[in-house]
Amino acid sequence: MPGAARAWPGQSLEPGPLLEGQEPKSLSHPPGKLGWKQRLDLNLALCAAGCGSPRWQLDPPCHEACTCVCVERRLPAQTLLIGQGKGRFRTWLCTSASCHLCLVCSLLTYVPGPSSRGLPRSQHTRLQASPGLTAAPSPTAMRASEKDLEKAVSQLQLLKEDPGNAVKLRLYALYKQATEGPCTMPKPSVSDFISKAKWDAWNALGSLPKETARQDYVDLVSSLSSSSESSSPVQPGASSRSPGYETLVVTSEGDITKIMFNRPTKKNAVNTQMYHELMLALKTASEDDSILTVVTGDGDYYSSGNDLTNFTDVHSGGLEEKAKSSVTLLRNFVNCFIDFPKPLVAAVNGPAVGIAVTLLGLFDVVYASDKATFHTPFSQLGLIPEGCSSYTFPKIMGTAKAAEVLIFGKKLTAAEACARGLVTEVFPDSTFQREVWTRLKTYAKLPKNAMRVSKELLRNLEREKLHAVNEEECRAIQGRWMSDESLNAVASFLSRQESLSPRALEHGAWSPALESIHRMARGHHIFIHHYGTLTPTRRDGLDRPEHREPAHHGLEVEVLRQNEVA
Ligand SMILES: CCCCCCCCCCC/C=C/C(=O)SCCNC(=O)CCNC(=O)[C@H](O)C(C)(C)COP(=O)(O)OP(=O)(O)OC[C@H]1O[C@@H](n2cnc3c(N)ncnc32)[C@H](O)[C@@H]1OP(=O)(O)O
C-alpha cells in the first residue's frame, strides 16, 4: 500500500506486560547536575526497581524533556547498541513529544501513524515520496546514477516494515558518503550518543568512492523494498536469499541465518566491500527473527583472510590516510562480532587464513571439516594478530600454544585446532555439511530467549575486555600496515605470479601487479630483485630491473623508504 500512513512494527509504544505485583511506572531522568554516567547508573537502578529485572536498563538522557522508557518492556526491536568500550550501552527511541533526537526521523522519512509521538514533524518531511514509483530492484551490475539515488530515497518512504536501526544507520552513512564524500565532520562527544552513532557509521566508510556508496545505497533500498514486498512468511524448510549482497550469500532457512562468503575464485578473501557487507549482514541478523547465525564459505576455502589487494587501494590521502580509515573499518568490523547478541556458529568448510581464523575466537561454536586448516601468517606479512586473538587465543589454548600460532604462524590442522580448543568438533569432509546442518537445525529449535540470555551472560564476562583488546590491536596494526616489512610482504604476494620477464619490463612493459605496488608504495622506492641483484633503473618512481636473464620469470619486489636508498 504505497503511501498509506502506517507505524513501523516495533514502534508501538505500548508497554509490555508488567511482572506480577508491579505498578506501571513512568520514569523520567533524575534532576540535578549529574554526569551522564551517573545518570545512567541511577536510571539503571530505577529501572531495576520498576521492572523487577536488574538486566533491564533505562535510556540515558537524550533530551531534558524526555520521558524515556524501559526498553525491554516496550521496544526491544528498536534498541541500538552505541558507543564503544566502557561507554557502551543501549539506547532506543524516546517517547517524549518534545524529543528532537530520535534516530529514526533523522535518518528516514517517517509517515506518522498512531504511535508516532515523539517524532518531530520538521524532520518527517525531509524525504518526499514520488507517486507512481515502483519498488523495482535495481540490478547490481548497473551503475546507479544520481537520479537512481533520489528514487531510492523516495522508495524508502514506501517501506512497509521498519528496517531496524542498524540498517537505517547504514543507509544514513551511505547517503552521506554518496552525496558529500568521506566524513570530515569533527567527532561528536561520546555523550552525544546519537550523533556519535551516526558519525561512526559514516566515518566507517572511510574513503569509499561516492559512486560505490550511491550504488550500495540503491541496492540496499532495493533489497529492503523487495523483502518488504514479499509478504508471505518463509515456509518451514524453504530457504530465502537476501538480495543486495555481492560478496556474500545471505539466506534464511527456518530459524537460521546463513552468511556465506561468496568469492570462491579468490578463496573468499575479504575485500573492503565484504567487510561492509558482513557488518550489515550481522547487524541485520542481530535484529531479525532468526535464532542462530552461521558463517561459512563457498567453494574449497572458508576464507583466505584479508584481501591483500586492499592494501593497494590507496587514494590521494596516501598510505597513512588509508591505514587510518582501515583501522576504523577493522575496529567496527570486529565490534560487530564482539557484540553479536545471538549464538554465532562458524562452519569452517575448508582452509582459513588470517582474520578468518582470529575471529573464530569470538564465535560461540566452531565446526570444521577435516579438510580445514588454520593459518595466521602475521609475522610473515609484517603484521600482528587482530580480531581480539591476542586475548582469546591464549585464553583458549594457553599462552605457549597461542604464541606458536600467532607469532610463528604455525598452521594447524582441524584436529590440532580442535585439540587446542579453537574448534568445537571436526567432521569428515564428505559428511560435513549434512552433519553440521542437521545438528544446527536441532539447536535452532531450543528456546530462543534462553539461548540469547545465556550468550549475553557469557559475553558480558568479557565484553569490556574484548573492546579494549580490539582498540589496542587496532592501534598497533596501523603502524604495521605502514611498515616496510608489511609493504614488502604484500608486494611480494602481488608479484608472485608475475609473468613478465625482466626483458619485457626493461622494454617498458607494465603489469597490473606492478601498477598496484606502485600505487601502494607511493613515496617509496621500489626495487625489483632479479637473481638477488638490486638493479634500480628509475622511471616515475618505479625502479626497473636491468636485463640479466631473459628466460627468468617471476619477480621479487622490495620496497624501501626514501632514506634507505643509498
Ligand atoms: C592499508 C590496509 C587496508 C586493509 C583494509 C582492511 C582492514 C582489515 C585487515 C585486517 C588484518 C588481516 C589480516 C589477515 O587476514 S592476514 C592474511 C592475509 N591472507 C593471506 O596472506 C593469504 C594470501 N593467499 C595465499 O597465500 C594463497 O592465495 C592461498 C594459500 C590462500 C591459496 O593458494 P592457492 O595456490 O591454492 O590459490 P591461489 O593463490 O592461486 O589463489 C586463487 C586466487 O585467489 C587470490 N587470493 C587468494 N587469497 C587472497 C588474498 N588473501 N588476497 C587477495 N587475493 C587472494 C589469488 O591471488 C588468486 O587470484 P588470481 O586467480 O586472480 O591470481
Side-chain angles (χ1 to χ4, degrees):
M1 326 172 299
R6 67 198 176 273
W8 283 330
Q11 191 123 30
S12 159
L13 299 176
E14 290 307 307
L18 289 171
L19 298 180
E20 211 178 325
Q22 282 183 335
E23 288 295 313
K25 201 166 176 179
S26 170
L27 299 167
S28 54
H29 299 304
K33 293 185 179 170
L34 299 174
W36 64 268
K37 257 192 154 169
Q38 290 162 297
R39 281 185 289 183
L40 182 66
D41 289 346
L42 201 47
N43 277 344
L44 272 169
L46 279 172
C47 187
C51 304
S53 163
R55 197 171 67 84
W56 292 346
Q57 302 175 3
L58 276 185
D59 203 347
C62 51
H63 187 268
E64 302 234 352
C66 290
T67 301
C68 296
V69 294
C70 170
V71 63
E72 300 296 344
R73 281 201 199 159
R74 294 172 184 254
L75 296 173
Q78 292 291 346
T79 60
L80 167 71
L81 277 173
I82 55 171
Q84 281 157 8
K86 290 190 175 169
R88 197 168 184 86
F89 42 78
R90 289 171 181 217
T91 188
W92 43 90
L93 291 180
C94 177
T95 59
S96 165
S98 55
C99 175
H100 294 286
L101 289 172
C102 294
L103 181 69
V104 171
C105 28
S106 57
L107 300 186
L108 297 176
T109 298
Y110 177 72
V111 181
S115 57
S116 66
R117 63 204 160 99
L119 305 178
R121 278 247 167 211
S122 57
Q123 295 179 30
H124 294 159
T125 52
R126 204 180 116 215
L127 312 173
Q128 294 298 326
S130 71
L133 180 84
T134 57
S138 91
T140 323
M142 214 172 73
R143 296 317 302 167
S145 65
E146 284 178 11
K147 219 171 176 136
D148 293 329
L149 181 72
E150 280 170 34
K151 271 191 192 168
V153 165
S154 306
Q155 201 171 328
L156 205 50
Q157 202 180 25
L158 305 179
L159 285 188
K160 294 186 183 121
E161 287 180 16
D162 177 1
N165 284 336
V167 175
K168 283 178 268 180
L169 268 181
R170 170 83 176 154
L171 284 166
Y172 166 80
L174 287 172
Y175 184 83
K176 295 292 271 184
Q177 190 87 6
T179 52
E180 296 176 33
C183 175
T184 52
M185 307 268 290
K187 190 173 181 169
S189 119
V190 72
S191 57
D192 188 357
F193 313 113
I194 295 184
S195 306
K196 174 76 171 31
K198 289 161 72 179
W199 187 91
D200 280 343
W202 183 11
N203 191 49
L205 295 182
S207 55
L208 188 75
K210 276 184 169 183
E211 300 68 36
T212 313
R214 192 161 64 211
Q215 181 72 53
D216 286 358
Y217 183 96
V218 169
D219 287 348
L220 180 51
V221 172
S222 159
S223 73
L224 292 169
S225 302
S226 35
S227 55
S228 102
E229 297 247 302
S230 61
S231 51
S232 56
V234 181
Q235 297 301 313
S239 157
S240 73
R241 179 172 169 168
S242 307
Y245 294 97
E246 271 179 49
T247 63
L248 303 175
V249 174
V250 181
T251 44
S252 300
E253 189 173 332
D255 291 322
I256 303 178
T257 296
K258 178 167 118 181
I259 300 173
M260 185 164 69
F261 305 127
N262 186 32
R263 298 184 73 215
T265 57
K266 296 286 178 187
K267 308 290 181 195
N268 295 324
V270 187
N271 62 7
T272 310
Q273 184 176 355
M274 199 193 280
Y275 281 109
H276 286 291
E277 290 191 359
L278 275 165
M279 288 195 278
L280 179 62
L282 286 173
K283 282 179 177 165
T284 308
S286 72
E287 292 179 348
D288 67 16
D289 289 336
S290 64
I291 291 176
L292 293 182
T293 301
V294 182
V295 178
T296 190
D298 188 19
D300 58 343
Y301 259 66
Y302 175 69
S303 166
S304 62
N306 185 45
D307 189 315
L308 293 174
T309 65
N310 284 341
F311 288 87
T312 63
D313 179 25
V314 176
H315 295 287
S316 50
L319 196 57
E320 200 164 334
E321 275 309 305
K322 173 73 185 172
K324 263 193 209 156
S325 64
S326 300
V327 162
T328 308
L329 173 63
L330 179 61
R331 181 191 298 115
N332 292 340
F333 177 72
V334 174
N335 279 340
C336 288
F337 286 84
I338 299 175
D339 290 321
F340 192 73
K342 299 178 182 178
L344 186 62
V345 177
V348 186
N349 53 299
V353 187
I355 194 164
V357 176
T358 55
L359 284 174
L360 295 175
L362 294 172
F363 280 68
D364 300 298
V365 165
V366 178
Y367 294 133
S369 146
D370 59 6
K371 287 216 170 124
T373 51
F374 301 82
H375 191 203
T376 48
F378 296 123
S379 300
Q380 289 88 327
L381 290 167
L383 294 176
I384 50 148
E386 26 55 3
C388 295
S389 58
S390 60
Y391 175 69
T392 56
F393 277 34
K395 215 174 150 239
I396 290 169
M397 54 182 89
T399 313
K401 298 274 186 200
E404 201 184 18
V405 168
L406 293 176
I407 302 179
F408 298 135
K410 178 185 163 74
K411 191 198 276 189
L412 302 179
T413 62
E416 286 167 337
C418 190
R420 291 180 184 208
L422 181 63
V423 164
T424 311
E425 193 169 335
V426 181
F427 298 84
D429 191 61
S430 54
T431 56
F432 176 67
Q433 297 293 345
R434 185 163 42 81
E435 291 197 56
V436 164
W437 287 100
T438 306
R439 191 177 295 191
L440 290 174
K441 281 175 190 163
T442 314
Y443 289 160
K445 293 198 178 84
L446 291 168
K448 175 182 182 165
N449 293 333
M451 287 197 282
R452 210 177 155 122
V453 176
S454 297
K455 161 111 194 199
E456 193 171 343
L457 285 169
L458 288 164
R459 185 46 50 94
N460 281 351
L461 292 172
E462 301 278 22
R463 194 185 303 276
E464 278 199 11
K465 178 74 185 168
L466 291 170
H467 281 296
V469 171
N470 186 24
E471 283 295 327
E472 187 60 23
E473 289 176 347
C474 286
R475 194 190 55 70
I477 208 166
Q478 185 169 342
R480 288 280 87 216
W481 278 331
M482 288 159 54
S483 69
D484 295 350
E485 287 175 345
S486 169
L487 287 174
N488 277 310
V490 175
S492 168
F493 175 78
L494 292 173
S495 61
R496 90 209 138 117
Q497 285 169 337
E498 185 56 78
S499 58
L500 291 175
S501 69
R503 182 189 278 285
L505 278 166
E506 196 187 351
H507 286 88
W510 288 80
S511 73
L514 283 177
E515 287 294 352
S516 299
I517 295 164
H518 190 203
R519 234 183 6 256
M520 172 184 78
R522 192 180 309 151
H524 296 68
H525 280 266
I526 301 176
F527 289 91
I528 300 172
H529 278 287
H530 179 228
Y531 287 155
T533 320
L534 273 183
T535 55
T537 316
R538 283 290 302 278
R539 202 194 90 170
D540 297 338
L542 179 63
D543 298 309
R544 290 168 179 279
E546 283 168 9
H547 172 56
R548 288 277 188 278
E549 175 54 70
H552 180 77
H553 284 243
L555 301 165
E556 210 178 289
V557 176
E558 188 175 8
V559 182
L560 294 179
R561 291 194 187 283
Q562 198 84 29
N563 58 10
E564 290 173 65
V565 182

